[in-house]
């Protein structure tokens, strides 16, 4: 039987949140480069995700970094070797990172890739491999080349499948031998809540059909990517990933229970059901009917979905949520969704409700549902950290990690086939939801603030040593 000591422990970043260098090496502008930093109000997270054409036009006028934090990221573009050395010292088994589509294909529709982009990633793949870490690649983590948004309508357009296939072919031709695990898309269900981030859709009215058609195109692109990888990188394992919200009913009424089931299906499971089982689940028929959503799904699409299902399933998990038919409860923020407050849970500085047991529940549910190995590919605590004399004491993060690791251990005992755990934002990066640098997840501190001021020097937090020791001693901690 599998034990906790047998699973992989890792850390993750994403190109748009980490790299910066937004104009260097021939990179094209992408959707994240257009999201401004807005001082946080209660709805800042939502408003920075909904981009209008006016906001994009404004962003295009800004030549420099300005108040667009993704253009600077953590300046990973210029710190990559130092960061890989830090990850090696941390002792993680696996590094999850993503490729900027616009760095390889500045517009997105070119026939051939940008050679400087190839050189940049070639270096990363080889150095991570040399450092002895496995590679978990997210091929596309939110950022879509802006040209594809403005000239093709983002993923609403079937043409993007073709462009994505070209991108995928180049990735696997060049680095197939280094890739251990891969995801065609980060949190593929995000397109539903955050269409601009997820499928490159500029805000308009009445987008439901467009959103689901775009998601469908991403599902087909996922299947085609798996087909490509099977040929060019036969040893790599293909996955699908969703953001998990873990819905609890607010009360024991049958109505609240039904609401929890439905919310979980529509918000998170439907993408897993399609990509792991190879077809649209029956509950989506009613949802499409009742919401007047009409999709174009060809026979070839259905064949591809059926034939190229993923090898493993994976998810991000930060907090649990509440489902209720009553609309009057106190609301709180979470990853991608807003939820009714749970009086039994504490929350992070951003209102995300901390619930380690929810992680065990999600692991069990996902495994029961798919019977495929499960990878926790994102989890961690976004917090305000304070650096004094080069030291960062973050006992709250250590506590968060410890509590969640205990629940992973329980889930493994429950019989869930867990492949590994990947800590989100292992090096501080710009927040995807609220565009802040000061919402920090890392065990490595990056000296920069929300306005991009700072030295961008790296410092180890207390949690660095804690995670390092945990990985080194994992045999003793559990089992
Ligand atoms: C997920 C994304 C990440 C990420 C994380 C934390 O949705 O895949 O890119 O950043 O959530 O969210 P945030 O950065 O908003 O705190």
């Amino acid at each position: 039987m599998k034990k906790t000591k047998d699973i992989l422990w890792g850390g993750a970043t994403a190109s748009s949140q980490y790299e910066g260098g937004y104009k260097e090496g021939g990179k094209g502008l992408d959707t994240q480069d257009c999201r401004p930093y807005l001082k946080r109000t209660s709805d800042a997270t939502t408003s920075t995700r909904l981009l209008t054409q006016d906001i994009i036009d404004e962003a295009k006028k800004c030549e420099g970094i300005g108040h667009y934090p993704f253009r600077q990221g953590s300046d990973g573009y210029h710190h990559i070797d130092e960061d890989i050395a830090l990850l090696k010292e941390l002792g993680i088994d696996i590094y999850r990172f993503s490729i900027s589509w616009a760095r390889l294909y500045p517009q997105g529709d070119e026939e051939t890739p940008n050679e400087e982009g190839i050189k940049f990633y070639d270096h990363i793949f080889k150095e991570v491999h040399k450092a002895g870490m496995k590679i978990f690649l997210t091929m596309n983590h939110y950022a879509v080349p802006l040209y594809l948004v403005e000239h093709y309508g983002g993923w609403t357009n079937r043409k993007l499948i073709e462009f994505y296939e070209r991108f995928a072919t180049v990735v696997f031709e060049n680095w197939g031998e280094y890739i251990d695990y891969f995801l065609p898309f980060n949190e593929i269900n995000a397109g539903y809540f955050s269409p601009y981030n997820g499928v490159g859709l500029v805000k308009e009215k009445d987008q439901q059909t467009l959103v689901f058609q775009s998601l469908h195109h991403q599902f087909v692109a996922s299947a085609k990517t798996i087909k490509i990888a099977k040929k060019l990188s036969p040893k790599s394992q293909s996955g699908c990933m969703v953001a998990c919200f873990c819905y609890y009913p607010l009360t024991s009424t049958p109505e609240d229970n039904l609401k929890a089931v439905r919310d979980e299906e529509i918000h998170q499971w439907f993408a897993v059901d399609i990509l792991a089982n190879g077809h649209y689940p029956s509950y989506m028929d009613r949802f499409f009917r009742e919401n007047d959503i009409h999709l174009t799904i060809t026979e070839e699409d259905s064949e591809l979905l059926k034939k190229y299902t993923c090898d493993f399933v994976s998810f991000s998990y930060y907090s649990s949520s509440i489902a209720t038919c009553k609309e009057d409860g106190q609301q709180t923020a979470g990853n991608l969704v807003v939820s009714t407050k749970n009086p039994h849970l504490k929350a992070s500085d951003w209102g995300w409700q901390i619930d380690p047991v929810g992680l065990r529940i999600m692991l069990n549910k996902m495994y029961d549902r798919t019977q495929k190995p499960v990878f926790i590919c994102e989890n961690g605590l976004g917090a305000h950290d304070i650096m004094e004399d080069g030291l960062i004491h973050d006992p709250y993060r250590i506590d968060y990690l410890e509590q969640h690791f205990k629940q992973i251990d329980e889930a493994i005992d429950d019989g869930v086939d867990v492949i590994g755990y990947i800590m989100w934002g292992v090096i501080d990066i710009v927040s995807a939801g609220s565009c802040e640098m000061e919402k920090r997840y890392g065990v490595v501190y990056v000296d920069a603030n929300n306005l991009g001021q700072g030295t961008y020097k790296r410092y180890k937090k207390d949690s660095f040593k804690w995670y390092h020791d945990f990985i080194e001693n994992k045999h003793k901690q559990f089992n």
Side-chain angles (χ1 to χ4, degrees):
M1 199 182 125
K2 202 173 221 173
K3 296 279 186 194
T4 301
K5 69 177 171 59
D6 303 322
I7 74 169
L8 300 169
W9 297 92
T13 58
S15 56
S16 68
Q17 295 167 256
Y18 165 73
E19 281 175 16
Y22 85 107
K23 259 189 179 171
E24 291 177 69
K27 179 182 171 296
L29 215 57
D30 63 36
T31 46
Q32 299 292 67
D33 293 327
C34 299
R35 293 177 60 206
Y37 164 65
L38 301 174
K39 222 171 169 9
R40 192 146 64 103
T41 61
S42 55
D43 70 345
T45 305
T46 321
S47 55
T48 59
R49 286 208 195 107
L50 296 176
L51 253 75
T52 60
Q53 191 58 49
D54 286 351
I55 298 176
I56 292 172
D57 290 343
E58 197 56 38
K60 280 178 11 192
K61 277 190 224 146
C62 174
E63 284 289 322
I65 288 164
H67 54 301
Y68 295 95
F70 292 101
R71 298 183 182 193
Q72 177 88 338
S74 316
D75 201 26
Y77 195 75
H78 301 108
H79 288 78
I80 190 69
D81 290 329
E82 179 188 348
D83 289 343
I84 293 173
L86 276 164
L87 296 178
K88 182 180 178 176
E89 184 186 337
L90 180 60
I92 53 176
D93 304 308
I94 186 159
Y95 176 37
R96 176 182 172 213
F97 62 93
S98 70
I99 289 184
S100 157
W101 190 354
R103 199 178 283 291
L104 278 199
Y105 286 91
Q107 286 191 177
D109 64 349
E110 298 92 334
E111 293 284 339
T112 49
N114 164 30
E115 277 310 316
E116 281 187 86
I118 298 269
K119 240 168 94 186
F120 176 68
Y121 290 112
D122 207 49
H123 181 72
I124 299 182
F125 275 101
K126 288 182 176 151
E127 288 305 306
V128 174
H129 183 70
K130 232 195 269 165
M133 288 174 267
K134 287 185 185 291
I135 290 177
F136 185 122
L137 181 70
T138 315
M139 295 180 51
N140 187 223
H141 196 122
Y142 288 159
V144 180
L146 193 64
Y147 188 89
L148 295 183
V149 173
E150 296 197 301
H151 292 81
Y152 293 89
W155 278 97
T156 59
N157 194 327
R158 191 169 266 274
K159 270 289 221 193
L160 260 78
I161 302 176
E162 198 185 300
F163 302 147
Y164 194 85
E165 265 185 280
R166 243 180 249 166
F167 166 61
T169 305
V170 161
V171 168
F172 286 101
E173 266 173 6
N174 282 279
W175 307 299
E177 65 185 289
Y178 301 110
I179 301 170
D180 296 288
Y181 299 89
F182 73 90
L183 296 174
F185 296 94
N186 176 62
E187 292 180 336
I188 198 161
N189 56 334
Y192 179 59
F193 311 97
S194 181
Y196 178 76
N197 281 11
V199 295
L201 201 54
V202 178
K203 189 172 182 270
E204 288 168 18
K205 275 191 217 136
D206 194 18
Q207 293 180 306
Q208 286 272 65
T209 292
L210 288 179
V211 164
F212 280 93
Q213 188 66 52
S214 302
L215 284 170
H216 176 71
H217 293 152
Q218 291 192 334
F219 296 145
V220 175
S222 295
K224 288 200 167 192
T225 302
I226 293 175
K227 183 178 176 187
I228 293 166
K230 277 196 186 306
K231 195 166 151 225
L232 299 175
S233 173
K235 78 161 179 56
S236 65
Q237 298 282 302
S238 63
C240 71
M241 176 199 179
V242 291
C244 267
F245 311 114
C246 189
Y247 281 100
Y248 301 144
L250 180 66
T251 69
S252 53
T253 61
E255 290 74 18
D256 274 0
N257 270 282
L258 182 63
K259 180 86 169 62
V261 170
R262 282 283 173 262
D263 280 357
E264 225 166 70
E265 282 175 348
I266 307 298
H267 293 179
Q268 75 186 36
W269 293 133
F270 87 94
V272 179
D273 289 343
I274 294 167
L275 295 167
N277 301 333
H279 56 85
Y280 276 71
S282 48
Y283 56 80
M284 288 309 280
D285 291 344
R286 180 168 185 170
F287 177 79
F288 289 151
R289 218 169 41 239
E290 290 181 347
N291 290 282
D292 203 20
I293 294 169
H294 305 277
L295 301 187
T296 305
I297 299 176
T298 67
E299 248 173 61
E300 194 204 346
D301 294 348
S302 304
E303 280 304 306
L304 279 162
L305 293 178
K306 198 161 139 200
K307 194 156 177 206
Y308 297 103
T309 53
C310 54
D311 298 319
F312 69 92
V313 287
S314 69
F315 63 92
S316 62
Y317 174 80
Y318 295 94
S319 46
S320 57
S321 317
I322 294 276
T324 174
C325 298
K326 284 199 203 127
E327 299 294 337
D328 53 0
Q330 204 188 342
Q331 302 289 291
T332 190
N335 184 24
L336 299 170
V337 294
V338 169
S339 154
T340 300
K341 231 176 171 169
N342 185 334
H344 307 289
L345 299 176
K346 289 194 183 129
S348 77
D349 297 343
W350 275 259
W352 296 21
Q353 310 187 98
I354 300 171
D355 180 7
V357 176
L359 177 57
R360 178 178 175 186
I361 295 171
M362 282 298 95
L363 283 165
N364 272 276
K365 282 194 180 180
M366 193 164 266
Y367 186 57
D368 289 349
R369 198 167 187 110
T370 62
Q371 289 295 299
K372 297 205 184 220
V374 190
F375 218 131
I376 305 152
C377 65
E378 267 187 43
N379 171 254
L381 179 69
H384 287 290
D385 294 330
I386 296 167
M387 179 167 71
E388 262 169 358
D389 301 326
L391 299 175
I392 304 98
H393 303 300
D394 56 346
Y396 37 87
R397 181 168 292 108
I398 292 171
D399 183 56
Y400 179 101
L401 296 173
E402 195 163 32
Q403 298 304 321
H404 283 76
F405 292 0
K406 276 190 191 137
Q407 295 304 321
I408 296 171
D409 187 53
E410 292 291 350
I412 292 171
D413 263 357
D414 293 336
V416 179
D417 184 1
V418 179
I419 308 173
Y421 170 92
I422 296 183
M423 175 196 292
W424 179 246
V426 63
I427 295 168
D428 288 347
I429 51 178
V430 175
S431 153
S434 52
C435 309
E436 293 161 288
M437 188 67 208
E438 292 173 53
K439 185 181 187 190
R440 301 172 183 279
Y441 286 86
V443 296
V444 174
Y445 184 92
V446 174
D447 176 33
N449 67 15
N450 288 339
L451 302 172
Q453 298 156 331
T455 61
Y456 285 84
K457 274 195 184 160
R458 279 55 175 151
Y459 296 86
K460 292 175 217 161
K461 303 180 192 176
D462 287 357
S463 54
F464 185 99
K465 181 174 177 348
W466 184 87
Y467 195 34
H468 168 272
D469 291 352
F470 172 83
I471 295 169
E472 199 168 73
N473 302 322
K474 62 194 172 196
H475 310 262
K476 297 180 197 135
Q477 212 113 352
F478 299 115
N479 308 299

